[in-house]
Structures are given as structure tokens and as C-alpha cells.
């Protein structure tokens, strides 16, 4: 096993980043122009990195698969973005934010990275405000905040239920400004299919031009992946339909270790599955749990309309089980509690797979106007999808696949195990341990892109100023291109009888059942077997109509689904190896008497970073021990 | 329910397109409009035909990717609703639904129902930003902003850039799109400094991209899935003329 070097700087936690930052090397302005950087992804992470790097004077190329960078899935984030501003004077601080994240992540994240994310969070809010992001304000004209799950302070900045949209559009504006200045070139409607390694360093990428089908090669001195999460592996999830793992997986196959792949957050409050044709699940923001109360009927098989069920016949199970945090327990806890009630037969709706989220008390207390001001767009969205008006009766919600804490392993510099290949935002594994706290992803993505990567990448590039621009005609580029083309030809040639989506659905179901909210060794082994069989069938039976040298949306999907088989398998291996429960990873063999996750710190206080050994080969495990010097490892309790 | 679909099919930008008619059985009223198209596509693929191409991603009304011209209206019959949020319960058994791409010379058709909207990106690149670099910001609470003003800026900022306003306009005008960004920025102190310069550049680029003029028929507001008000167009006009006047006074 190779020893992973996380490159955490020495010194006291609170000083690490500032000391380290001052020690990093810089590149002088004249040299920056000669250095090319590829950024794959235009979400909050990618666009913030690209615009900052452009401002510094690097020559940046940005890629995304949508028609415009403004559509990256960050746009869909609803509830808010955290920062340790302590504007509410409620005792918040960088340390407390750090502590909440470490605890929320069930002690499976790296202290130094988390502290740094908390530290730069304040700069992020300042920067967004300066860019004209219209965050919610109070009557004094100052920024307003609200509370999110797993914490007892109010540190979440928001713009109604469209915080992600407003942050992303601000970032898109700063990216557009750099495009106009010529420091950033934008390549939309491109799917990255491979990363090119020259003499051990990442030097470029291979993409498919989605409009023409052409395979294109781009070179650079460094490559940054900001390609988001892979929750779409479950088929139904809160992610955009195009979200995928392909870029990260390509990097993994080329040698980048993949960390904690099975740490996937199942979000407790999504609109439940309503029909068989459902293609995605719509999130109802966690912020709703500020004012909404979660309950199920106290009796099984309750048939009455929710409004007719009297108070004393309702079970507010979160408030009952977790009096200290009530409806604001972290996501993993809330999701499992909902599953537990539904499995026990108390669920509501036709399928019995949902619980109520009720605003009656909040509306009575604060008035409809206040609730509408805070959540108007979410309520509307709910009504459009379900046809039910949540001002008049409770919402129905159920957990859904949402966020991948796992991702490419990176060191403190946000560099993967491939020199020159960086990973930021949701695509890396670094800051959220085994469970992410609400509103901390937007914060991490923007922190990575605006305030961290520009420093660490410059330090890397300081060694590259003498390296001339790369030609894409080299052996390595051609080799990669050939592999990509062969794979596309192979998938087109199957010419079977079943649609890509039908495979994706079945794949998602296998993972949901075997590697979802609750797992066990036997189920995981079975899951791997089923994935193997389904993958085999895919390569015999999938049908991709049309041709590869044109705009072909089925081919795009097929290439993504082909990777999901492998990602799914790695998730199962990872979950199987981790003989403990922590955060979102809940193995039913390892639970406390009260049904809470039971960690095994003696054996599993580490990051599991997996190396690719070939298709269907057992992956190789590398462990990065997690050292806790600033927080005490203890059982996570929200009671 | 059973439906008849008349869908615009066009292989690529170079070839001519035409309507094809499909009958679709057993559509559930609970399906979203795009799920209904998925369902059609499954059947087309099974028959060996090419599926209908359309842009989509988030499927929850926020990314602005989707945008179909349904029975003569951008995003279909429901107000304040994107195509992906529209559900089949809004249609009647046995009805015919005509589905087209956005029609505008600034949004050329790429394939079937997919159009090229890079013209919008170009307009933002012309000036839809605040000229500030990373790292120079003051503490966010240094400049208080009146809540009413900031809420109003937010109302303009919710534009998803789908292009429905252009598709709704007989002149293919992009005024509502441009006005939303101009107004958002001009209302906030951070954006006010450059308001005059911004509005001129963005309007100029809008013209460069071939979008038409505004003749105040307000179809854009009616069909905007985010309910963005035409009052912002009035606000932009004021910004534009005061920018002009300022410039003349200077020169
Ligand atoms: C519904 C929802 C609500 C959320 N609400 C919140 C919230 O309130 N607060 C919070 O903090 N977090 C929230 N999150 C999480 C947060 O939004 C995401 O984790 C975060 O926005 C991810 O940003 P990103 O930049 O890493 O990736 P994304 O924004 O997903 O961007 C990925 C980019 O990569 C590109 N890309 C991907 N694959 C490829 C490829 N193969 N080739 C080329 N380009 C590619 C895409 O085009 C896109 O530009 C929410 C998430 C969801 C799904
Ligand atoms: S698909 Fe995103 S707005 Fe419709």
C-alpha cells in the first residue's frame, strides 16, 4: 500500500492556511500568460476557479456539457450558503463552523481542510455581495441568515429558495467578464471523456463535441476537474439529468485515487416518487425544516386526510427521538428516521413511502406572508409537481439520492494523486466526511474556486514556467483519442434492443436497494453480482440509435451509464470494506441500541482511497489515517 | 390518455425541418411534459427511429435549458411554468399538441427542438457583471441595502435565461432578458457605479446579435416562466436614456 501524503502543513490549526499561503510560490504576470489551465465544469467550483485564474492572467479554457455555463447544476441549490460571520451574535465562529462540519461528517473528514473551508467562508459572502448577488436582507439593510440542520446557530445566507441560482449567476457573470477579456475561452456542449497524461503529469483532456460528435483534444499545463457529483448513479436523484461521473472516472482509470465512493447523502426532504415514468426527484430544501414539522400518523394504515388527524394522533418522530435538535437533525439521521417509520408501516401516500412536512403551526404563528417570503418558490414548485397546495395541507416527502461526499482523493493543495490534476467542488472528497451539513457545499465549492485553488495551483505552475505549450499531436494524446473513439464505436456497435434509460433505471434500483440508506455485507455482495450481470447485459443489449458523428443525446447517456456500472461497483466495495456505520454510511450490522450509527474509530478513522486495477478487478485500497487533534472523537448525538 | 403530437423534426442546422405526427397512447396525467417526451422517445427507439432531441437538465424549472413552443406558446399553456414543470394533467384526452423549437433568427435550430442560445451569453459578456476582482471585497455588511430595493433586485435576478421572452415576441426582441440583468445590477449599490456603461454595452450587443426591437406588446412578460415584469424594460429604457444624456453632457 502506498502511503498517501495529504501535505497538511504543520502548525496550529488556525494558522495553517495563512502561514502556508504565504509560503506558496507565485508566478510573475508575464509568465502567467504563457501558462494554460483547463477547467472542466462551470458550476460554482469551476466557474469561480476559472474566473479567478483568468483575473490572475492565466490562459484558461473552460468546458461544460450544457449549452451555457450558467446552467451547471449549482443553479439548483435552494436553501443557502454558510459562513461564520456571526452577524446574529449567536456565538458563531470559524472554529464552531469547523466543529459542526467535523461532527456533522461523523468524524470522517480531514481537520485541516475543513478548518480552511470554514475560514474562507466569510470571504465568499463578501465577494458574492460585491458582485451584486441579491442575498436576503433584514429591514435594517443587513444580510439575513437562517438555520440549517445539524447546527444551533443561524449562519446560512440565502436568496429565497434560489441561493444556488443567485450564487452561480454571480459567478457566471464574473466568468463572462473574463471571457470578454480574452483570458477565458468557453467550450460549451463538450463531454470530457479522458484525461491525457504526459510523463506522469496531467497535460490535457479529450472531449466529445456534443453538437458534431467530433473528438477534440486540448492541452494545458494543468487540468482542474470541477465536474460535480454523481448522485445520478441512483437514476432517480435530486441532480440534473446530465450530472455524471465520467470525468472523474476517466481520471480514476488513469491513476487518480477515488475516496470514500460510498459516502452518498440521501436527502430527507424530496418530493416522493409519484409514477413509473419519473425521471428525477425534486428536492424540497432543508431550510423548510426551520418552520416545517415532520410527522407520520401514530396509527398504522391511517386513511384520514392529514388535516383531519388530530394533534394527539400524530407522531412528530424527529422531535420525539431528538429533543435537542428536533426537526433540524442532520440529513442522514432524518432520512433514516423517515425510512424507519415507513418500513414499520406508518408511511403515508399510496405507496406508504412518504411522511408529512407540515407548515400549519408556522403559518398560524407567523402568518402566511412570512412563510411565503421565505419559501414561496418552493411551495409553488411543490404545487406544480404534485397538484397539492402546501399552504393548505402538509407536503409529502421522502429521502432521495442527493450529494456525493465521496469523490477524487485530493491533498491539501486540492491535487489528486496525478500530478497536475486538481479536483474541486463536489467532485473531490475532501470536506464533508461521511455526511454533509446543509449549505456547506456552495460554501466549499466557492471557497475552493475563489480562494484556495488559485494559490495552490499557482504554486504548482511555478515549476512549469519553462515548459512550452503542448502540442496535441503527441503519442499520448493520440493514444487517448483512439481509446475514446474505440469505446464509442463499441457502444454504437452493440445495436441491441433495450434503451439506455431502461438500464440506468435498473442499475439505480440495484444501488438504491443494496448500497442506499441502509446496507449490509450480504446485500452489498449481492449488489456487486447483480451489477456485473446487468453490465454484461448492457454491452449485449443496449440500443443507441443514430450515429456517433452527430448530435446524439442517447449516445451521451450511454457513455455515462457505462461508467456508472463501474462506479456503482466501487461504491459497493467501499461500503463492504467499511465495517462500521458512520454518517450516511449505515451498515445495519453496526448500530447502537437506539438504532444510531455506530462508528469504529479504532479501525476505521481513515479515508478509504481506491486505486483502479482494471475492469472488474478488485480495486486496491489505500488508507489515509485521520488524525483529530482539535476535536474530541465522540459519539455524534443530537438528542 | 391518448394524444396526437405534431413535432418539429429537423436533422441539423443545414437541412430543412418539417412536422411529424405521432400518436401516443396511455399517457398518464401525472407525467411531466418532458416525461411524456421520454415516453415517446422510448417507443421511437424501440422502433429503430431516432428519438426527438430537446434540451433539458435540471427538470425543476431553474437551469433554463428546456424550452419548447407548445401549442403556440413558449413553455405551454400554464403561466409562470417552465416546460419541465408542466404536467400532462393540463391537457385533455384526445387532444393534439403541437411542439416546436423557439423561433428566432438569433436562436438557430441545431436539431429538432434544440436551438443555439449563445447570443444570450454574448450579451452577458458585453457587460452583465460588476467589475470587481476576487479578494478585494469589503465586509458584506459594510453597505446596507434597503430590503425593498434588494428584494426588487432579486425579482429581476431570477431570470433563467431560457429565451421564452424572445420566442414570445413577434419581433424576437430580447428586451426582457437584457432589462432583467441591467435592472438587477443598477438597483444595487455594487452595480450602480457602472450602470450607464453597462446598459449601453448590453443593448448594443443585443442589437449586434440580431434581436428585434420592442413594440410593447408584453408577450414576453406573459410567457416568462419566472414572471419577470415588463416594468424592468421601462427601467432599462430610463437607464439607457440617462446614460445617453450623461454622455452628451460630457462631450
Ligand atoms: C437540488 C439541490 C439543492 C441543493 N441545495 C444546496 C444548498 O442549499 N446549499 C448548499 O450548500 N448546497 C446545496 N446543494 C449541493 C450543491 O448545489 C452542489 O454540491 C454544488 O453546487 C456542486 O457544485 P460543483 O461546481 O461542484 O458542480 P456542478 O454545479 O454540478 O457543476 C458541474 C459542472 O461540470 C460539468 N461537467 C460534468 N461532467 C462533465 C463532463 N463529463 N464533461 C464536461 N463537463 C462536465 C457540468 O457541465 C457543470 O458545468 C444542492 C444540490 C442539489 C442537487
Ligand atoms: S430542465 Fe431546467 S428549467 Fe427545465
Amino acid at each position: 500500500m502506498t502511503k498517501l501524503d495529504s501535505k497538511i502543513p504543520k502548525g496550529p490549526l488556525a494558522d495553517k492556511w495563512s502561514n502556508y499561503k504565504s509560503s506558496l510560490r507565485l508566478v510573475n504576470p508575464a509568465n502567467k500568460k504563457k501558462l494554460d489551465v483547463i477547467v472542466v465544469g462551470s458550476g460554482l467550483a469551476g466557474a469561480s476557479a476559472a474566473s479567478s485564474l483568468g483575473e490572475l492572467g492565466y490562459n484558461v479554457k473552460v468546458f461544460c456539457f450544457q449549452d451555457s455555463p450558467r446552467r451547471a447544476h449549482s443553479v439548483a441549490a435552494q436553501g443557502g450558503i454558510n459562513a461564520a460571520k456571526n452577524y446574529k451574535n449567536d456565538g458563531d465562529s470559524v472554529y464552531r463552523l469547523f466543529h459542526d462540519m467535523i461532527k456533522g461528517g461523523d468524524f470522517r473528514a480531514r481537520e485541516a481542510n475543513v478548518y480552511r473551508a470554514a475560514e474562507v467562508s466569510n470571504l465568499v459572502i463578501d465577494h458574492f455581495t460585491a458582485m451584486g448577488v441579491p442575498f436576503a436582507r433584514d429591514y435594517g439593510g443587513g444580510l439575513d441568515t437562517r438555520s440549517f440542520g445539524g447546527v444551533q446557530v443561524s449562519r446560512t445566507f440565502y436568496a429565497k429558495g434560489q441561493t444556488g441560482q443567485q450564487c452561480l449567476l454571480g459567478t457566471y457573470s464574473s466568468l463572462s467578464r473574463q471571457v470578454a477579456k480574452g483570458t477565458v475561452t468557453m467550450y460549451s456542449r463538450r463531454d470530457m471523456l479522458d484525461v491525457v497524461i504526459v510523463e506522469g503529469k496531467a497535460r490535457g483532456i479529450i472531449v466529445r463535441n456534443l453538437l458534431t460528435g467530433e473528438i477534440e483534444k486540448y492541452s494545458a499545463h494543468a487540468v482542474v476537474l470541477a465536474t460535480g457529483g454523481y448522485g445520478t448513479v441512483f437514476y432517480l436523484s435530486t441532480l440534473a439529468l446530465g450530472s455524471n461521473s465520467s470525468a472523474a472516472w476517466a481520471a480514476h482509470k488513469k491513476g487518480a485515487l477515488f475516496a470514500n465512493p460510498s459516502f452518498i447523502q440521501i436527502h430527507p426532504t424530496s418530493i416522493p416518487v409519484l409514477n413509473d415514468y419519473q425521471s428525477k426527484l425534486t428536492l424540497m430544501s432543508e431550510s423548510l425544516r426551520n418552520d416545517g414539522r415532520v410527522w407520520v400518523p401514530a396509527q398504522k394504515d391511517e386513511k384520514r386526510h392529514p388535516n383531519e388527524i388530530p394533534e394527539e394522533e400524530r407522531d412528530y418522530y424527529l422531535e420525539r427521538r431528538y429533543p435537542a435538535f428536533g426537526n433540524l437533525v442532520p440529513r442522514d439521521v432524518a432520512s433514516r428516521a423517515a425510512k424507519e417509520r415507513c418500513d414499520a408501516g406508518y408511511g403515508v401516500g399510496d405507496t406508504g413511502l412518504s411522511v408529512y412536512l407540515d407548515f400549519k403551526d408556522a403559518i398560524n404563528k407567523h402568518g402566511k406572508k412570512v412563510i411565503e417570503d421565505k419559501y414561496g418558490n418552493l411551495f409553488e414548485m411543490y404545487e406544480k409537481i404534485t397538484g397539492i397546495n402546501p399552504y393548505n395541507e402538509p407536503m409529502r416527502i421522502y429521502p432521495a439520492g442527493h450529494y456525493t461526499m465521496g469523490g477524487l482523493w485530493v491533498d491539501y493543495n486540492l491535487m489528486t494523486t496525478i500530478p497536475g490534476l486538481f479536483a474541486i467542488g463536489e467532485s473531490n472528497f475532501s470536506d464533508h466526511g461521511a455526511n454533509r451539513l446543509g449549505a456547506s457545499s456552495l460554501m466549499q465549492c466557492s471557497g475552493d474556486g475563489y480562494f484556495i485553488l488559485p494559490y495552490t495551483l499557482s504554486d504548482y505552475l511555478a515549476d512549469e514556467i519553462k515548459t512550452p505549450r503542448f502540442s496535441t499531436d503527441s503519442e499520448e494524446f493520440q493514444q487517448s483519442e483512439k481509446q475514446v473513439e474505440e469505446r464509442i464505436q463499441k457502444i454504437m456497435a452493440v445495436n441491441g434492443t433495450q434503451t439506455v434509460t431502461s438500464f440506468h433505471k435498473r442499475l439505480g434500483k440495484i444501488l438504491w436497494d443494496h448500497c442506499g440508506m441502509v446496507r449490509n455485507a450480504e446485500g452489498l455482495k449481492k449488489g456487486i453480482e447483480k451489477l456485473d450481470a446487468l453490465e454484461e447485459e448492457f454491452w449485449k443489449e443496449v440500443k443507441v440509435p443514430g450515429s456517433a458523428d452527430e448530435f446524439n443525446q442517447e449516445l451521451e447517456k450511454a457513455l455515462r451509464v457505462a461508467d456508472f456500472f463501474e462506479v456503482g461497483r466501487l461504491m459497493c466495495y467501499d461500503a463492504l470494506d467499511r465495517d462500521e456505520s458512520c454518517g450516511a454510511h449505515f451498515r445495519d450490522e453496526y448500530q447502537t441500541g437506539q438504532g444510531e450509527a455506530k462508528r469504529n474509530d479504532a479501525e476505521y478513522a481513515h479515508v478509504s482511497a481506491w486505486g483502479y486495477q482494471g475492469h472488474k478487478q478488485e480495486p486496491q485500497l489505500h488508507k489515509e489515517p485521520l488524525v483529530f487533534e482539535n476535536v474530541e472523537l465522540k459519539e455524534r448525538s443530537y438528542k | 390518455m391518448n394524444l396526437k403530437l405534431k413535432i418539429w423534426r429537423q436533422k441539423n442546422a443545414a437541412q430543412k425541418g418539417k412536422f411529424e405526427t405521432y400518436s401516443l397512447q396511455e399517457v398518464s396525467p401525472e407525467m411531466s411534459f418532458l416525461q411524456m417526451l421520454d415516453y415517446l422517445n422510448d417507443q421511437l427507439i424501440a422502433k429503430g427511429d431516432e428519438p426527438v432531441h430537446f434540451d433539458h437538465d435540471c427538470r425543476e424549472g431553474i437551469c433554463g435549458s428546456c424550452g419548447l413552443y407548445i401549442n403556440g406558446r413558449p413553455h405551454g399553456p400554464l403561466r409562470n411554468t417552465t416546460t419541465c414543470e408542466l404536467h400532462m394533467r393540463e391537457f385533455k384526452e384526445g387532444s393534439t399538441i403541437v411542439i416546436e423549437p423557439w423561433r428566432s433568427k438569433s436562436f438557430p435550430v441545431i436539431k429538432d427542438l434544440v436551438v443555439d442560445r449563445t447570443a444570450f451569453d454574448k450579451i452577458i459578456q458585453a457587460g452583465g457583471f460588476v467589475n470587481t476582482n476576487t479578494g478585494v471585497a469589503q465586509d458584506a455588511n459594510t453597505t446596507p441595502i434597503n430590503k425593498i430595493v434588494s428584494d426588487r433586485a432579486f425579482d429581476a435576478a431570477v431570470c433563467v435565461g431560457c429565451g421564452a421572452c424572445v420566442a414570445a415576441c413577434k419581433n424576437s426582441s430580447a428586451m426582457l432578458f437584457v432589462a432583467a440583468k441591467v435592472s438587477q445590477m443598477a438597483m444595487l449599490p455594487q452595480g450602480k457605479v457602472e450602470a450607464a456603461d453597462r446598459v449601453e454595452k448590453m443593448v448594443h450587443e443585443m442589437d449586434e446579435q440580431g434581436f428585434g426591437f420592442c413594440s410593447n406588446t408584453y408577450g414576453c412578460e406573459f410567457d416568462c416562466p419566472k414572471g419577470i415584469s415588463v416594468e424592468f424594460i421601462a427601467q432599462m429604457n430610463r437607464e439607457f436614456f440617462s446614460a445617453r444624456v450623461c454622455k452628451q453632457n460630457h462631450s
Side-chain angles (χ1 to χ4, degrees):
Chain A
M1 206 190 303
T2 29
K3 196 171 169 309
L4 285 170
D5 184 2
S6 54
K7 307 227 170 76
I8 298 171
K10 298 225 168 359
L13 185 66
D15 300 335
K16 278 188 202 292
W17 176 235
S18 49
N19 289 344
Y20 183 65
K21 213 166 49 163
S22 354
S23 76
L24 290 174
R25 290 164 305 163
L26 306 172
V27 177
N28 90 33
N31 284 330
K32 282 187 183 131
K33 271 191 265 174
K34 297 187 216 147
L35 292 168
D36 300 337
V37 181
I38 283 175
V39 178
V40 188
S42 65
L44 215 38
S48 57
S51 57
S52 302
L53 293 169
E55 286 164 16
L56 290 172
Y58 294 107
N59 181 37
V60 188
K61 301 172 200 172
V62 180
F63 296 80
C64 73
F65 66 75
Q66 293 92 345
D67 66 329
S68 162
R70 67 179 290 150
R71 309 203 199 284
H73 200 50
S74 292
V75 81
Q78 302 173 345
I81 172 165
N82 286 336
K85 285 283 194 187
N86 195 29
Y87 284 162
K88 284 264 160 84
N89 195 30
D90 55 1
D92 203 5
S93 63
V94 168
Y95 180 82
R96 198 177 289 273
L97 173 52
F98 151 79
H99 190 272
D100 285 343
M101 283 175 74
I102 289 280
K103 176 182 168 198
D106 217 356
F107 305 92
R108 290 294 173 266
R110 208 187 267 154
E111 276 192 344
N113 284 56
V114 176
Y115 193 90
R116 177 176 62 181
E119 193 177 339
V120 301
S121 68
N122 291 339
L123 299 174
V124 167
I125 297 299
D126 297 340
H127 186 50
F128 278 140
T129 305
M131 288 192 302
V133 170
F135 285 125
R137 288 181 180 264
D138 55 31
Y139 284 98
L143 292 176
D144 195 17
T145 52
R146 58 186 173 200
S147 306
F148 254 56
V151 306
Q152 289 172 317
V153 293
S154 174
R155 65 159 77 97
T156 304
F157 295 80
Y158 67 100
K160 277 208 180 155
Q162 289 113 297
T163 317
Q165 182 199 27
Q166 294 311 315
C167 293
L168 183 71
L169 293 185
T171 305
Y172 161 71
S173 281
S174 55
L175 180 71
S176 300
R177 173 172 171 246
Q178 292 309 309
V179 172
K181 288 195 166 163
T183 59
V184 172
T185 312
M186 190 65 223
Y187 299 88
S188 298
R189 293 202 197 261
R190 304 294 203 290
D191 247 356
M192 173 186 148
L193 297 175
D194 205 7
V195 48
V196 182
I197 317 265
V198 181
E199 290 170 5
K201 292 179 175 174
R203 294 300 194 192
I205 59 171
I206 308 286
V207 302
R208 180 166 178 274
N209 180 325
L210 301 182
L211 293 184
T212 62
E214 240 168 292
I215 301 302
E216 301 170 344
K217 299 172 281 190
Y218 296 91
S219 68
H221 293 86
V223 177
V224 181
L225 297 188
T227 47
Y230 54 92
T232 30
V233 72
F234 289 121
Y235 183 64
L236 287 180
S237 77
T238 63
L239 271 81
L241 268 68
S243 300
N244 66 89
S245 59
S246 293
W249 196 252
H252 178 57
K253 279 176 148 173
K254 284 280 169 81
L257 299 189
F258 207 114
N260 303 335
S262 72
F263 287 0
I264 300 198
Q265 178 164 79
I266 311 293
H267 196 294
T269 55
S270 146
I271 299 179
V273 177
L274 300 171
N275 65 59
D276 290 345
Y277 297 97
Q278 194 124 355
S279 52
K280 88 154 277 170
L281 295 170
T282 301
L283 184 74
M284 287 288 106
S285 165
E286 171 163 303
S287 58
L288 293 170
R289 287 196 274 140
N290 263 297
D291 290 295
R293 297 177 70 195
V294 178
W295 63 277
V296 290
Q299 276 163 32
K300 282 189 193 177
D301 300 321
E302 176 63 77
K303 292 283 175 286
R304 281 175 292 178
H305 186 276
N307 290 354
E308 283 159 16
I309 303 176
E311 268 314 290
E312 59 284 2
E313 292 175 46
R314 298 173 172 199
D315 176 13
Y316 293 93
Y317 58 87
L318 289 177
E319 297 169 27
R320 168 171 59 79
R321 282 181 68 177
Y322 307 100
F325 281 70
N327 291 294
L328 284 175
V329 290
R331 293 174 176 178
D332 55 330
V333 176
S335 288
R336 277 196 297 277
K339 181 175 175 359
E340 188 278 328
R341 283 293 78 190
C342 293
D343 289 353
Y346 296 91
V348 297
D350 293 342
T351 53
L353 286 179
S354 58
V355 301
Y356 292 125
L357 177 62
D358 199 338
F359 296 90
K360 185 184 61 163
D361 292 347
I363 293 174
N364 287 343
K365 187 167 165 207
H366 305 292
K368 191 177 159 196
K369 171 84 178 63
V370 171
I371 298 300
E372 193 179 324
D373 260 5
K374 282 193 191 164
Y375 315 113
N377 78 310
L378 297 170
F379 277 48
E380 262 172 43
M381 216 186 216
Y382 184 84
E383 185 170 0
K384 274 178 199 155
I385 293 172
T386 62
I388 291 169
N389 179 341
Y391 291 103
N392 302 334
E393 62 177 278
M395 290 182 175
R396 281 201 298 119
I397 49 150
Y398 196 68
H402 180 59
Y403 179 89
T404 41
M405 282 77 70
L408 292 173
W409 185 90
V410 289
D411 63 16
Y412 191 72
N413 296 318
L414 304 179
M415 189 157 90
T416 68
T417 44
I418 299 176
L421 181 70
F422 293 75
I424 58 175
E426 191 172 340
S427 73
N428 75 22
F429 88 106
S430 74
D431 295 352
H432 309 290
N435 172 57
R436 177 173 71 82
L437 286 185
S440 55
S441 175
L442 297 182
M443 163 193 135
Q444 177 229 332
C445 290
S446 352
D448 281 1
Y450 280 124
F451 296 106
I452 301 171
L453 184 85
Y455 291 93
T456 59
L457 183 64
S458 290
D459 183 63
Y460 175 81
L461 290 172
D463 282 332
E464 298 288 338
I465 51 175
K466 297 218 173 65
T467 318
R469 290 216 148 92
F470 290 86
S471 152
T472 55
D473 293 334
S474 70
E475 174 82 30
E476 290 87 349
F477 274 92
Q478 291 190 3
Q479 184 86 16
S480 269
E481 181 186 29
K482 193 161 151 257
Q483 275 167 5
V484 165
E485 277 170 347
E486 281 171 2
R487 185 150 184 267
I488 292 173
Q489 278 159 12
K490 188 174 159 204
I491 227 166
M492 294 300 300
V494 177
N495 200 17
T497 56
Q498 295 176 45
T499 61
V500 178
T501 304
S502 69
F503 280 105
H504 194 177
K505 277 188 190 167
R506 289 162 70 193
L507 161 71
K509 176 93 171 60
I510 295 174
L511 286 170
W512 185 251
D513 290 345
H514 295 276
C515 198
M517 258 184 288
V518 175
R519 305 140 176 203
N520 59 49
E522 205 186 323
L524 287 162
K525 284 182 199 149
K526 206 166 274 159
I528 296 176
E529 278 169 27
K530 287 187 184 173
L531 286 176
D532 285 351
L534 189 65
E535 186 186 33
E536 222 163 275
E537 192 183 331
F538 175 86
W539 285 102
K540 282 194 194 120
E541 285 301 331
V542 73
K543 166 89 187 171
V544 183
S547 75
D549 53 10
E550 62 177 345
F551 188 20
N552 187 337
Q553 293 177 323
E554 286 298 307
L555 175 58
E556 295 165 26
K557 281 197 261 178
L559 290 167
R560 291 170 186 162
V561 172
D563 287 333
F564 282 143
F565 287 108
E566 296 197 72
V567 174
R569 203 154 33 223
L570 188 65
M571 281 165 58
C572 292
Y573 274 116
D574 182 48
L576 190 57
D577 174 75
R578 194 169 274 277
D579 284 333
E580 65 161 353
S581 293
C582 56
H585 168 67
F586 192 84
R587 287 271 302 267
D588 64 11
E589 306 100 309
Y590 308 101
Q591 51 181 308
T592 65
Q594 287 93 33
E596 305 298 338
K598 196 166 156 195
R599 288 197 327 263
N600 175 352
D601 293 330
E603 285 174 276
Y604 290 96
H606 61 246
V607 175
S608 300
W610 298 90
Y612 188 75
Q613 299 290 96
H615 183 237
K616 281 201 188 170
Q617 302 300 309
E618 207 161 306
Q620 193 186 15
L621 177 63
H622 307 257
K623 296 179 186 171
E624 178 200 336
L626 291 168
V627 184
F628 295 93
E629 290 167 338
N630 300 277
V631 289
E632 187 194 345
L633 269 166
K634 52 182 182 195
E635 191 192 326
R636 204 172 53 136
S637 166
Y638 293 95
K639 290 194 190 281
Chain B
M1 55 210 255
N2 302 311
L3 299 170
K4 203 152 134 203
L5 304 172
K6 279 181 75 179
I7 302 181
W8 184 261
R9 301 301 308 261
Q10 181 171 342
K11 192 151 176 56
N12 53 43
Q15 292 184 29
K16 273 217 169 93
K18 64 171 191 318
F19 282 104
E20 294 281 353
T21 308
Y22 305 92
S23 27
L24 197 58
Q25 270 83 43
E26 290 177 40
V27 173
S28 150
E30 293 308 312
M31 283 180 182
S32 73
F33 198 84
L34 297 186
Q35 280 163 24
M36 182 275 292
L37 287 180
D38 292 341
Y39 176 57
L40 168 73
N41 278 344
D42 279 353
Q43 301 185 7
L44 293 179
I45 296 167
K47 276 199 295 186
D49 292 344
E50 266 211 60
V52 179
H53 279 55
F54 57 91
D55 264 330
H56 65 98
D57 201 24
C58 75
R59 294 208 175 185
E60 55 186 51
I62 194 73
C63 72
S65 296
C66 67
L68 303 178
Y69 201 73
I70 303 165
N71 288 344
R73 282 193 54 194
H75 296 298
L78 269 197
R79 285 199 72 176
N80 298 330
T81 304
T82 56
T83 303
C84 60
E85 293 174 298
L86 182 64
H87 279 67
M88 297 314 291
R89 52 179 172 267
E90 306 302 331
F91 297 88
K92 290 203 186 69
E93 162 64 32
S95 53
T96 300
I97 307 177
V98 184
I99 310 170
E100 297 170 76
W102 288 168
R103 305 282 190 191
S104 158
K105 79 171 187 311
S106 305
F107 292 159
V109 173
I110 292 172
K111 181 171 185 168
D112 296 339
L113 305 170
V114 179
V115 299
D116 181 349
R117 288 171 289 198
T118 36
F120 270 10
D121 287 329
K122 295 264 165 57
I123 294 176
I124 299 294
Q125 285 157 20
F129 44 76
V130 173
N131 266 303
T132 179
N133 277 7
T134 311
V136 300
Q138 321 160 283
D139 181 86
N141 260 356
T142 313
T143 315
I145 305 178
N146 181 295
K147 178 168 164 55
I148 295 165
V149 172
S150 118
D151 286 353
R152 182 105 182 113
F154 175 85
D155 290 342
V158 296
C159 168
V160 294
C162 63
C165 46
V166 175
C169 176
K170 63 180 172 21
N171 311 321
S172 282
S173 168
M175 284 291 266
L176 193 61
F177 170 78
V178 181
K181 188 50 73 185
V182 163
S183 305
Q184 174 205 340
M185 298 275 182
M187 276 185 275
L188 298 170
Q190 292 85 359
K192 209 170 223 142
V193 186
E194 307 165 77
D197 194 38
R198 177 180 308 112
V199 68
E200 286 207 313
K201 286 182 171 155
M202 290 181 73
V203 168
H204 175 74
E205 188 62 30
M206 173 177 82
D207 294 341
E208 286 288 295
Q209 293 297 325
F211 291 103
F213 59 94
C214 170
S215 52
N216 299 317
T217 50
Y218 302 158
C220 52
E221 176 187 82
F222 193 75
D223 281 329
C224 171
K226 296 294 141 184
I228 292 175
S229 162
V230 288
E231 285 171 22
F232 293 122
I233 297 186
Q235 179 165 359
M236 174 165 87
N237 285 335
R238 284 196 301 275
E239 295 287 339
F240 187 76
F241 289 114
S242 74
R244 277 287 154 90
V245 171
C246 263
K247 221 177 192 174
Q248 274 165 8
N249 287 351
H250 278 292
S251 55

